[in-house]
């Protein structure tokens, strides 16, 4: 999965790799038969996705989309930090200028500049963040001229079901003065994983932190990451925000991105790039300067075999083994270098301390 | 909606293949713990949300998608009659739109030039009534990446698209693309209203601006030589207070304001230098295509653009396009090299009333498809196309698909299978392209050298 914040490298969420559900190979057939199905926009039995029966049905949905877009577009803002280069999107949810965004968008920033679709600017203070749910809040500290910032209402993601129609906005690719944030329309695919939901509203870098709306124009999710397919666009469900609202507003920051890693500057690292070795183990391709790996005299070409007794058969195992620790903790690592087998003790570093 | 009726079918047989085919998607670059360079060889795959659903849910999603497509069918009835497929040696390449240029006696077909240029010598068009006719490229509008195909079969009846029955859609409007067989091929919404994708259509003052947003005005940190700003006597450290009486409150706002103006227009800038306030009138220049701001997308952005889709080779710099989230299908059978050039560009796009919105011209990335608006098509048709020459065409984009190596290997395109000349031409084109890129890189390095310490 790729975090869709502009300033981010391509990233992989560990929880998705080690979740056995995801590992099950499945080949499903999707047959397409044009069936005249029961009625329209009504959710059949609370389960079936709303279907369209005629052009009129489509038009009535289209009208809703038009209305929602006109109403919430001014509240869809672009965010960036001049200091650390963090950037993304966000949505204002009250007249005083409270902004919801993604945790990975604010990471490390205390202040962010808010840019409205019309190019106007305001200053914002980063409040709290729950990195585990990729949720964060920002407060605009400037006063609105008209007494109220444009804002969208917050809805609920609890009742969302597969097939529910949704609208995504966000400053895809970053703020562009000659373009409003692109509108995307789609439906909920799934919303089961750890308060996250996925839709087929296609997202890309820069969309991170942008809003997902239901057809009433209420915020139901915040864009978080994408996967390989057009159907794999992941949003932090608004329910997670509801549960943490007070803590986030009070400025608390907790959790870690993707359960282990990503932009979290506190994530444990050893400071290497690695590939899987042909006969098992993980081969070191690069050692970062002054990293725990370089201090422990690991070298390019070394093959990591075990970490604290755990067998490291592949990258996944290595990742999981490291993720089980905290930065500052010591691990014992067994490597093979040519014919030699060596042990090294290594103190895990912080991601934020590694220079690239 | 990122779906299309046809999209789901290949899923069935190619599911595993798809995941094998996109190793770069699961590459994590630069992450400090590891780099997932060889995930394609391991069993780790990126999950697809569809895998997580119950069969009933998948079925209901499929039914829902098909209900959208079948309900929209009446809207495309008329435009389907003016849609053709364009083929080369029995392989479909693109769609085409039948039009009647002002003053012309015979209808012609518009299609995407960069997709047919390499095989332009033996093109066929397949009309909605099921017949095939040889066609040749009679002219090109290179700015719009449009080719004009003419069909010289006596007595042939082609139904031109009624461009007067057109509409300028609202943001979020549903739009559709037809197939010649009367089915809906693509469904999407209007994501962004028509705009120019060219930097040169944006006004350029030629200043660097201070990031600080506190207080009034924006401090200038850089004045480009020979720019509008330097001609007007602006200096580093000047604080811009107003532009045409609009108060400047931050660099993003100032940048936006300037970029929305037309090159060549005059603005009055009020600024503070030391303790005095001054005013100057500036004639704005135009942004240089090569020089700045058109950020070469970061590596990972590039990766993302091709995730789940195949962007068109030519997909930038259009003078006027509507942006939609309609997924254009390209090469939906990756295991079959014969259709590597298959794409859905060139067909007409209509709204729910059947009014013509424009012609689909490029797949930009996983989130966007570009459509040339009907009004632009009309004004383009009122001008004379350029004659076809060997070097005509734009090569400003390349496919960013993850495994282009197969595509770039000679001998795999429909043109090249049996066509040595085509293969050589293609190689020549590639060499030319590389030369251009090298020259550009050299220029950049030379530019950057004096700035290095």
């Amino acid at each position: 999965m790729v975090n869709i914040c502009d300033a981010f490298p391509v990233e992989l969420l560990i929880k998705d790799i080690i979740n056995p559900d995801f590992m099950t190979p499945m080949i499903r057939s999707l047959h397409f038969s044009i069936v005249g199905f029961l009625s329209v926009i009504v959710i059949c039995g609370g389960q079936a996705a709303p279907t369209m029966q005629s052009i009129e049905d489509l038009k009535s949905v289209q009208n809703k989309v038009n209305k929602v877009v006109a109403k919430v577009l001014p509240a869809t803002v672009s965010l960036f930090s001049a200091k650390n280069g963090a950037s993304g999107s966000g949505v204002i949810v009250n007249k005083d200028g409270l902004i919801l965004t993604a945790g990975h968008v604010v990471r490390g920033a205390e202040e962010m500049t808010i840019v409205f679709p019309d190019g106007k600017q305001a200053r914002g203070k980063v409040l709290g963040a729950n990195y585990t749910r990729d949720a964060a809040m920002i407060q605009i500290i400037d006063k609105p001229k008209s007494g109220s910032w444009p804002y969208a209402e917050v809805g609920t993601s609890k009742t969302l079901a597969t097939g529910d129609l949704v609208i995504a906005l966000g400053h895809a690719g970053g703020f562009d003065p000659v373009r409003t944030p692109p509108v995307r329309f789609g439906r909920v695919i799934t919303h089961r994983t750890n308060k996250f939901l996925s839709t087929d509203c296609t997202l890309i870098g820069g969309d991170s932190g942008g809003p997902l709306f239901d057809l009433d124009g209420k915020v139901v999710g915040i864009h978080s990451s994408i996967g390989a397919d057009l159907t794999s666009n992941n949003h932090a469900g608004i329910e997670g925000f509801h549960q943490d609202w007070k803590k986030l507003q009070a400025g608390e920051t907790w959790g870690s991105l993707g359960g282990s890693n990503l932009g979290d500057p506190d994530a444990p690292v050893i400071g290497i790039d690695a590939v899987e070795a042909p006969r098992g183990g993980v081969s070191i391709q690069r050692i970062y300067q002054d990293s725990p790996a370089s201090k422990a005299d690991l070298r390019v070409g070394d093959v990591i075999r075990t970490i604290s007794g755990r067998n490291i058969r592949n990258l996944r195992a290595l990742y999981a083994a490291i993720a089980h620790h905290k930065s500052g903790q010591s691990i014992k690592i067994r490597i093979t270098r040519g014919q030699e087998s060596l042990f090294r003790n290594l103190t895990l570093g912080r991601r934020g301390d590694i220079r690239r | 909606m990122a779906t299309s009726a046809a999209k789901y079918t290949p899923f069935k047989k190619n599911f595993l293949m798809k995941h094998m085919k996109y190793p770069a998607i699961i590459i994590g670059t630069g992450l400090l713990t590891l780099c997932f360079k060889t995930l394609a060889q391991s069993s780790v795959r990126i999950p697809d949300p569809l895998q997580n659903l119950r069969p009933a849910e998948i079925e209901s999603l499929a039914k829902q998608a098909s209900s959208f497509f079948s309900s929209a069918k009446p809207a495309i009835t008329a435009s389907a009659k003016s849609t053709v497929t364009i083929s080369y040696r029995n392989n479909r390449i693109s769609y085409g739109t039948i039009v009647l240029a002002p003053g012309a006696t015979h209808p012609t077909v518009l299609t995407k030039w960069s997709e047919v240029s390499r095989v332009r010598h033996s093109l066929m068009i397949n009309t909605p009534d099921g017949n095939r006719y040889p066609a040749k490229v009679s002219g090109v509008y290179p700015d719009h990446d449009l080719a004009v195909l003419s069909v010289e079969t006596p007595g042939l009846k082609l139904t031109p698209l009624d461009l007067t029955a057109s509409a300028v859609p609202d943001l979020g409007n549903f739009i559709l693309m037809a197939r010649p067989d009367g089915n809906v091929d693509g469904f999407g919404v209007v994501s962004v209203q028509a705009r120019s994708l060219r930097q040169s259509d944006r006004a350029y003052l030629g200043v660097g601006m201070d990031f600080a947003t506190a207080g009034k005005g924006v401090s200038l940190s850089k004045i480009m030589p020979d720019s509008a700003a330097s001609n007007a006597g602006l200096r580093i450290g000047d604080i811009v207070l107003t532009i045409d009486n609009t108060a400047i409150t931050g660099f993003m706002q100032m940048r936006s304001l300037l970029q929305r103006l037309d090159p060549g227009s005059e603005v009055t800038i009020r600024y503070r230098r030391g303790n005095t306030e001054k005013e100057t009138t500036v004639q704005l220049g135009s942004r240089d295509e090569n020089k700045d701001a058109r950020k070469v997308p970061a590596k990972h952005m590039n990766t993302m653009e091709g995730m789940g889709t195949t962007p068109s080779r030519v997909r930038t710099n259009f003078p006027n396009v509507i942006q939609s989230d309609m997924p254009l299908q390209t090469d939906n059978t990756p295991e079959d090299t014969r259709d590597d050039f298959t794409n859905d560009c060139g067909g007409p796009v209509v709204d729910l009333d059947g009014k013509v919105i424009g012609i689909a011209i490029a797949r930009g990335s996983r989130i966007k498809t570009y459509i040339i608006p009907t009004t632009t098509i009309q004004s383009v048709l009122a001008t004379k196309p350029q004659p076809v020459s060997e070097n005509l065409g734009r090569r400003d984009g390349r496919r960013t698909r993850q495994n282009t190596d197969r595509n770039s290997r000679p001998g795999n395109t429909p043109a090249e299978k049996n066509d040595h000349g085509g293969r050589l031409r293609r190689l020549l084109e590639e060499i030319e392209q590389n030369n251009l890129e090298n020259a550009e890189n050299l220029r950049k390095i030379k530019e950057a050298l004096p700035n290095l310490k």
Side-chain angles (χ1 to χ4, degrees):
Chain A
M1 255 183 228
V2 176
N3 252 281
I4 48 176
C5 179
D6 228 350
F8 258 58
V10 173
E11 286 165 337
L12 199 53
L13 294 176
I14 182 75
K15 70 173 163 43
D16 294 323
I17 308 169
I18 55 181
N19 180 340
D21 285 350
F22 286 128
M23 297 303 294
T24 324
M26 286 189 193
I27 306 171
R28 292 198 194 274
S29 4
L30 289 173
H31 292 285
F32 251 87
S33 47
I34 313 281
V35 194
F37 229 57
L38 291 175
S39 71
V40 202
I41 318 180
V42 186
I43 299 171
C44 308
Q47 287 297 318
T51 56
M52 301 289 118
Q53 295 305 300
S54 63
I55 283 270
E56 278 63 43
D57 290 350
L58 287 169
K59 280 184 181 167
S60 91
V61 175
Q62 170 181 278
N63 287 344
K64 286 187 182 177
V65 176
N66 291 146
K67 273 190 195 143
V68 169
V69 169
K71 196 175 130 201
V72 300
L73 196 111
T76 304
V77 293
S78 172
L79 306 167
F80 72 91
S81 155
K83 250 186 209 151
N84 73 356
S87 76
S89 300
V91 60
I92 308 177
V93 293
N94 69 21
K95 67 177 174 54
D96 301 324
L98 181 68
I99 293 171
L100 305 187
T101 184
H104 75 268
V105 167
V106 302
R107 54 144 199 162
E110 287 169 4
E111 289 174 357
M112 292 197 96
T113 302
I114 289 112
V115 188
F116 291 85
D118 64 3
K120 292 215 177 65
Q121 261 177 256
R123 289 170 298 162
K125 177 178 178 275
V126 174
L127 303 175
N130 178 351
Y131 288 117
T132 308
R133 286 182 184 158
D134 205 7
M137 278 185 186
I138 296 175
Q139 176 64 51
I140 303 184
I141 52 178
D142 295 323
K143 288 279 163 264
K145 277 201 184 112
S146 60
S148 166
W149 293 108
Y151 70 96
E153 280 172 48
V154 174
T156 174
S157 52
K158 247 189 227 164
T159 49
L160 284 180
T162 296
D164 281 357
L165 302 174
V166 281
I167 300 157
L169 288 178
H171 292 265
F175 181 77
D176 186 339
V178 301
R179 175 211 76 183
T180 49
V183 180
R184 279 140 290 171
F185 173 71
R187 60 250 172 98
V188 173
I189 304 291
T190 169
H191 67 293
R192 285 189 196 146
T193 39
N194 191 25
K195 306 280 180 213
F196 284 86
L197 56 116
S198 63
T199 70
D200 60 7
C201 293
T202 49
L203 304 175
I204 202 165
D207 276 320
S208 273
L212 183 76
F213 298 99
D214 61 18
L215 287 188
D216 296 326
K218 296 198 169 145
V219 182
V220 294
I222 294 294
H223 311 328
S224 175
S225 64
I226 57 174
D229 288 282
L230 293 183
T231 48
S232 183
N233 306 280
N234 309 300
H235 321 257
I238 201 70
E239 227 43 57
F241 281 84
H242 282 312
Q243 284 176 13
D244 299 334
W245 200 274
K246 285 197 176 131
K247 278 166 85 180
L248 289 170
Q249 218 168 0
E252 276 185 58
T253 294
W254 73 101
S256 55
L257 285 163
S260 75
N261 56 4
L262 304 184
D264 181 1
D266 290 325
V269 292
I270 58 176
I272 59 166
D273 285 345
V275 298
E276 290 180 3
R279 286 188 195 84
V282 166
S283 167
I284 298 178
Q285 297 288 295
R286 175 177 174 186
I287 305 225
Y288 287 83
Q289 220 182 336
D290 301 327
S291 66
S294 87
K295 283 175 196 158
D297 190 32
L298 297 189
R299 297 180 197 167
V300 170
D302 287 355
V303 177
I304 299 175
R305 296 293 179 186
T306 66
I307 286 183
S308 303
R310 292 162 69 116
N311 263 332
I312 306 299
R313 286 206 186 82
N314 50 30
L315 287 171
R316 187 157 56 94
L318 173 61
Y319 212 165
I322 293 174
H324 266 83
H325 297 83
K326 289 196 170 121
S327 51
Q329 285 185 337
S330 285
I331 54 170
K332 194 174 190 185
I333 198 163
R334 183 172 74 84
I335 54 167
T336 47
R337 180 178 295 164
Q339 303 298 317
E340 275 181 291
S341 181
L342 306 164
F343 282 95
R344 291 281 184 272
N345 285 313
L346 180 152
T347 308
L348 289 168
R350 286 177 70 245
R351 172 186 308 282
D353 294 339
I354 304 275
R355 276 185 296 142
R356 299 196 183 180
Chain B
M1 182 176 293
T3 184
S4 96
K7 266 264 143 45
Y8 283 115
T9 28
F11 208 61
K12 198 165 28 178
K13 53 183 178 197
N14 297 328
F15 188 79
L16 287 170
M17 187 145 213
K18 266 171 82 172
H19 288 273
M20 295 301 287
K21 273 190 61 81
Y22 293 93
I25 286 156
I26 32 182
I27 285 175
T29 53
L31 262 212
L32 302 177
T33 31
L34 332 143
C35 186
F36 286 77
K37 276 184 183 134
T38 52
L39 282 187
Q41 293 154 31
S42 74
S43 61
V44 181
R45 290 187 284 108
I46 285 294
D48 186 305
L50 288 175
Q51 290 179 67
N52 248 10
L53 293 176
R54 290 191 296 267
E57 286 170 317
I58 291 179
E59 198 186 328
S60 116
L61 279 174
K63 272 181 186 145
Q64 181 184 35
S66 86
S67 84
F68 270 79
F69 282 79
S70 57
S71 301
K73 243 172 123 173
I76 54 102
T77 315
S79 61
K81 293 183 178 126
S82 301
T83 307
V84 298
T85 58
I86 293 161
S87 62
Y88 173 83
R89 291 179 197 247
N90 289 329
N91 297 308
R92 177 167 79 81
I93 301 174
S94 289
Y95 286 130
T97 304
I98 306 169
V99 291
L100 187 62
T105 47
H106 293 294
T108 49
V109 173
L110 289 180
T111 188
K112 186 167 171 63
W113 164 237
S114 56
E115 296 294 334
V116 298
S117 59
R118 283 168 191 165
V119 292
R120 63 177 172 273
H121 300 295
S122 11
L123 291 172
M124 303 288 280
I125 64 160
N126 307 261
T127 54
D129 55 23
N131 290 315
R132 304 174 66 216
Y133 306 96
K136 67 169 215 258
V137 180
S138 57
V140 178
Y141 297 103
D143 286 354
H144 301 270
D145 199 26
L146 282 172
V148 183
L149 305 186
S150 50
V151 190
E152 281 155 7
T153 306
L156 166 68
K157 276 195 103 176
L158 292 173
T159 315
L161 190 66
D162 183 4
L163 293 174
T164 59
S166 72
V168 178
D170 286 335
L171 269 187
N173 268 20
F174 290 176
I175 51 176
L176 315 154
M177 196 166 76
R179 279 207 301 252
D181 66 5
N183 283 309
V184 177
D185 190 76
F187 177 95
V189 299
V190 174
S191 297
V192 182
Q193 297 285 19
R195 72 187 195 274
S196 165
L197 299 184
R198 300 172 150 192
Q199 288 291 327
S200 58
D201 287 344
R202 302 183 180 192
Y204 186 59
L205 179 59
V207 295
M209 291 169 279
D210 204 327
F211 267 22
T213 57
K216 281 180 186 167
V218 164
S219 168
L220 301 181
S221 58
K222 206 173 177 185
I223 307 286
M224 306 297 175
D226 297 326
S227 66
S230 76
N231 293 342
L234 290 174
R235 289 193 214 150
I236 291 175
D238 288 350
I239 295 170
V240 176
L241 301 171
T242 66
I243 295 178
D244 280 349
N245 295 322
T246 304
I248 299 302
T249 56
F251 88 94
M252 258 328 208
Q253 180 224 0
M254 178 165 158
R255 196 180 136 226
S256 310
L257 195 153
L258 289 169
Q259 289 199 21
R260 285 174 188 157
L261 296 171
D262 290 328
S265 57
E266 284 192 348
V267 291
T268 305
I269 297 181
R270 205 167 167 73
Y271 61 98
R272 196 169 64 230
R273 180 176 295 164
N275 292 321
T276 51
E277 283 196 13
K278 300 184 174 199
E279 202 170 88
T280 181
T281 302
V282 184
Q283 186 177 22
L284 296 168
S286 103
R287 295 175 79 84
D288 189 331
E289 297 288 351
N290 300 321
K291 220 170 204 168
D292 83 338
R294 192 179 60 171
K295 282 179 260 168
V296 177
K299 208 174 173 185
H300 69 284
M301 191 66 185
N302 238 331
T303 308
M304 288 190 219
E305 288 185 335
M307 283 170 72
T309 196
T310 313
S312 308
R313 283 180 213 84
V314 171
R315 57 178 181 278
T316 57
N317 280 353
F318 294 104
N320 196 35
V321 280
I322 294 168
Q323 181 176 326
S324 169
D325 64 350
M326 176 190 295
L328 280 192
Q329 187 187 331
T330 38
D331 188 11
N332 67 342
T333 50
E335 79 277 17
D336 186 349
T337 54
R338 282 174 311 178
D339 71 349
D340 274 359
F341 278 52
T342 305
N343 72 89
D344 279 359
C345 298
V349 175
V350 298
D351 66 10
L352 289 178
D353 293 318
K355 299 260 173 68
V356 183
I357 300 303
I359 291 179
I361 197 62
R363 183 68 172 150
S365 76
R366 78 182 252 122
I367 70 158
K368 64 194 175 191
T369 288
Y370 291 124
I371 297 154
I372 305 179
T374 315
T375 47
T376 305
I377 298 287
Q378 281 169 312
S379 46
V380 164
L381 284 177
T383 64
K384 239 184 119 188
Q386 293 185 26
V388 189
S389 78
E390 290 300 314
N391 291 319
L392 197 56
R394 295 171 37 186
R395 290 184 213 104
D396 49 12
R398 280 183 166 183
R399 290 197 172 188
T400 53
R401 190 183 170 135
Q402 308 313 328
N403 57 341
T404 42
D405 46 0
R406 194 197 66 211
N407 294 341
S408 61
R409 212 182 300 142
N412 271 330
T413 68
E416 287 155 358
K417 281 242 166 78
N418 302 304
D419 179 4
H420 259 290
R423 186 172 155 180
L424 288 175
R425 263 196 299 278
R426 168 122 186 252
L427 283 172
L428 185 67
E429 275 177 358
E430 269 180 19
I431 292 166
E432 280 170 1
Q433 172 73 22
N434 287 339
N435 279 342
L436 283 176
E437 274 170 16
N438 285 341
E440 173 67 12
N441 287 337
L442 269 177
R443 194 185 61 76
K444 277 184 192 154
I445 291 166
K446 277 182 189 154
E447 240 177 45
L449 269 180
N451 299 329
L452 291 176
K453 286 185 183 156

